[in-house]
Amino acid sequence: MRRSKKENNPEKIEEKARMIYEDYVSILSPREVSLDSRVREIINKNMMSPTQRTFDEAQLQIYTLMHRDSYPRFVNSPAYQTLLKSYGGSVKDLAVTAT
């Protein structure tokens, strides 16, 4: 999605927006992401005339969901805890080596 924000050609923006919509927002997509009805409505309105900001609300909602739910569950998962123990470090150590 970040690549679309650098694009200035309206036709290419529309093409990319349609691809993103069909792949991740459409209720018919097998890769549909979890979005509430308010955000879906905003995206549907934005799709009338797609811009570089068409999916900003979806991006924010997904980031927030990951921050509040997915990431904490992952960090507390047995698989991650096992990895952490085998590494012999702490979460801080892993964050430093990942950057």
Side-chain angles (χ1 to χ4, degrees):
M1 192 156 67
R2 292 195 190 279
R3 283 188 218 133
S4 295
K5 289 188 178 184
K6 293 179 182 178
E7 183 63 63
N8 291 321
N9 182 330
E11 291 172 359
K12 289 198 179 220
I13 290 172
E14 183 172 350
E15 179 184 337
K16 289 179 182 183
R18 297 260 172 239
M19 290 173 55
I20 292 168
Y21 185 89
E22 290 170 9
D23 287 347
Y24 303 106
V25 180
S26 172
I27 58 172
L28 303 174
S29 172
R31 294 182 277 184
E32 177 188 3
V33 295
S34 178
L35 298 170
D36 66 27
S37 60
R38 180 190 66 82
V39 171
R40 283 187 186 281
E41 187 174 319
I42 290 169
I43 292 172
N44 287 334
K45 286 179 184 175
N46 290 346
M47 287 301 292
M48 302 275 191
S49 183
T51 69
Q52 297 166 325
R53 302 256 176 233
T54 296
F55 299 101
D56 283 0
E57 287 292 320
Q59 183 178 2
L60 178 61
Q61 187 174 77
I62 291 167
Y63 175 81
T64 301
L65 180 63
M66 290 176 65
H67 179 74
R68 291 184 183 163
D69 182 53
S70 301
Y71 181 72
R73 280 191 295 130
F74 169 72
V75 168
N76 293 314
S77 71
Y80 181 74
Q81 292 300 316
T82 301
L83 173 67
L84 193 59
K85 285 177 187 173
S86 70
Y87 174 75
S90 69
V91 175
K92 279 183 175 180
D93 295 335
L94 287 177
V96 170
T97 59
T99 57

